[in-house]
Amino acid sequence: MPRWRSFSSRAAACLLLTTVLLASCALADIPKTPGLSTGGSKKDKLKAEKLPPCKACTALVNSFRDGIKRTERSKHDGGDAAWEEERLGSYKTSELRLVEIQESLCQDVVRGEDQCHQLAEDYEPQIELWWKNHQTTHPDLHQWLCVEQAAVCCPDGFYGPNCDPCPTCFGNGKCKGNGTRKGNGRCACEPGYAGENCDSCGAEHYEAFRDETKLLCSPCHRACATGGCTGAGPNACRVCRAGWVMDSGRGGCVDVDECITSNPCTKHQFCVNNEGSYSCLECDKSCDGCSGDGPDLCDKCADGYELRDGMCTDTSNERRTQYANFTRYLTYLGLCLATCIVLQNSTWLAGLVGLAVAIYISVSEYWLNTTPQPSATPSPRILDELLQQQN
């Protein structure tokens, strides 16, 4: 390859690398525009959140009210406060206090803080006008600003663009759009209530109390299915849930005892009936199948247990005791044989060993015979029967 071609290739590569580096530096120097980042903390997102007009105005008013409470005792002697007392009247309605409130306005707002600051700027003339001229005649800032001046809210109990009156909802629901310039004014009933004015009971509820102004609905018994009920208790059900059957004689729902009608549990479990259902509990460890709780309700004793006095008793301790006795007696025999062997060589030594063996055997037997042995504890049902027999 000619030298000029090799040189031109290297020059092109250097030029390309230089261009890439310059472009990277230029991009790094571009300032980041706020709001373009896809991330952002949760707090920043809450600050930038946009609230409905009425809710945003209410947040502004609440923050202003908090400022009023915060500055109730902010009067100072001398300085600007004394000048305000002399020129503008009491500190309570002074411009100094208004400025102090506005300095911290919206700082306590969690959701929509940015929107609150914007509204504070937009409504600043109205707020100053209310502060100077309408505090006494219109003490409710929310009513004066949000309802009358900004016209973004309605008084409580009214809704829609024209602030039409809300229905009563019979005290069992809320008017959609209540207090705002939105909504259709329909009742959103609480659970258990139905009807356009929430004046009737919903599904699976019955009328427990009613007068001209109030209705109280209570839930049906758990035995009742979707058909509802006519009153309290399972006898008032129209349709029964699974686990219950309709009593053709008395009416209403009666619990099905699955433990009698079927055998839903395994061999090593026993059945306990519940309202509308059942539970399977494990048998006692001494049982190989059972009809209830405790070693006295076993169908058959498990391995290592024997039926004694109507109760499956653990026999493993007895076997261990028998083995211990056999081992003990075998040890005694070994000691006696050792004494006899020693006797053939030395009489006095055999006598000494025999005395030690006799003392050892006597002390061991005395200790074993005087140690209390643990007794088997009968089940609660057996104890109850014994107490009844004694009485």
Side-chain angles (χ1 to χ4, degrees):
M1 179 182 293
R3 291 184 177 180
W4 66 271
R5 289 186 178 180
S6 176
F7 176 77
S8 61
S9 299
R10 294 176 182 177
C14 292
L15 180 61
L16 178 61
L17 180 60
T18 303
T19 304
V20 171
L21 292 175
L22 291 175
S24 300
C25 294
L27 290 175
D29 292 337
I30 296 177
K32 295 183 179 180
T33 304
L36 294 180
S37 175
T38 57
S41 65
K42 183 178 180 180
K43 184 177 180 181
D44 294 337
K45 292 180 180 179
L46 291 175
K47 288 177 60 177
E49 185 176 347
K50 293 291 184 181
L51 301 179
C54 180
K55 197 169 186 178
C57 185
T58 303
L60 172 63
V61 170
N62 290 337
S63 180
F64 194 90
R65 288 172 176 170
D66 292 339
I68 292 177
K69 294 180 181 179
R70 187 170 53 252
T71 57
E72 281 181 350
R73 298 183 179 181
S74 296
K75 178 179 177 180
H76 304 283
D77 294 332
D80 293 338
W83 183 85
E84 290 287 342
E85 287 283 355
E86 181 180 355
R87 296 290 191 276
L88 302 177
S90 66
Y91 171 78
K92 181 179 179 181
T93 57
S94 66
E95 289 188 6
L96 175 61
R97 187 182 184 188
L98 175 61
V99 171
E100 291 177 356
I101 295 174
Q102 290 177 327
E103 285 178 351
S104 58
L105 195 61
C106 298
Q107 292 182 2
D108 55 345
V109 176
V110 178
R111 296 178 56 192
E113 181 181 348
D114 296 342
Q115 185 181 13
C116 181
H117 285 295
Q118 183 62 46
L119 287 180
E121 294 181 6
D122 296 341
Y123 295 155
E124 184 176 0
Q126 290 89 336
I127 293 176
E128 291 181 354
L129 179 63
W130 176 83
W131 183 261
K132 294 179 180 179
N133 302 327
H134 298 286
Q135 285 195 63
T136 304
T137 57
H138 297 82
D140 189 350
L141 177 59
H142 182 270
Q143 172 71 22
W144 189 85
L145 178 62
C146 300
V147 177
E148 298 177 5
Q149 300 297 317
V152 293
C153 296
C154 289
D156 186 41
F158 296 83
Y159 77 97
N162 301 322
C163 290
D164 298 321
C166 285
T168 61
C169 299
F170 227 67
N172 299 317
K174 295 182 179 180
C175 170
K176 294 182 178 179
N178 178 37
T180 71
R181 299 277 174 161
K182 297 183 179 181
N184 54 19
R186 295 179 180 176
C187 292
C189 300
E190 297 176 357
Y193 296 89
E196 293 185 359
N197 199 32
C198 303
D199 53 357
S200 61
C201 295
E204 301 185 23
H205 287 74
Y206 67 93
E207 187 176 298
F209 175 80
R210 177 189 284 272
D211 60 14
E212 296 180 355
T213 59
K214 187 172 181 61
L215 169 67
L216 177 62
C217 296
S218 298
C220 295
H221 191 270
R222 56 179 298 185
C224 303
T226 309
C229 60
T230 58
N235 294 332
C237 297
R238 295 191 180 96
V239 182
C240 299
R241 291 185 184 273
W244 305 77
V245 292
M246 184 64 68
D247 188 345
S248 57
R250 297 181 303 170
C253 297
V254 179
D255 176 44
V256 176
D257 192 344
E258 293 86 356
C259 299
I260 297 177
T261 58
S262 62
N263 188 16
C265 301
T266 63
K267 177 183 177 181
H268 297 287
Q269 294 177 330
F270 64 94
C271 182
V272 177
N273 185 54
N274 304 322
E275 277 196 348
S277 183
Y278 64 91
S279 300
C280 290
L281 304 180
E282 296 296 326
C283 294
D284 190 84
K285 63 180 181 179
S286 62
C287 300
D288 183 11
C290 64
S291 58
D293 189 19
D296 55 316
L297 296 176
C298 299
D299 297 336
K300 179 183 176 182
C301 293
D303 294 338
Y305 294 85
E306 292 182 2
L307 184 63
R308 295 180 181 178
D309 298 329
M311 182 171 60
C312 290
T313 306
D314 186 4
T315 58
S316 58
N317 289 332
E318 294 182 2
R319 288 195 295 270
R320 284 193 294 269
T321 302
Q322 293 174 358
Y323 177 76
N325 291 335
F326 174 77
T327 305
R328 185 171 79 253
Y329 294 142
L330 187 62
T331 302
Y332 295 163
L333 178 61
L335 292 174
C336 293
L337 291 176
T339 303
C340 294
I341 294 173
V342 173
L343 179 62
Q344 296 177 359
N345 298 324
S346 175
T347 304
W348 69 270
L349 182 59
L352 183 62
V353 172
L355 179 61
V357 170
I359 294 174
Y360 171 76
I361 294 175
S362 300
V363 173
S364 299
E365 290 298 320
Y366 175 78
W367 182 80
L368 291 174
N369 292 328
T370 56
T371 302
Q373 299 295 328
S375 59
T377 302
S379 67
R381 190 177 69 84
I382 297 294
L383 291 175
D384 292 339
E385 292 179 356
L386 292 175
L387 291 175
Q388 291 177 1
Q389 292 176 1
Q390 292 178 359
N391 294 333

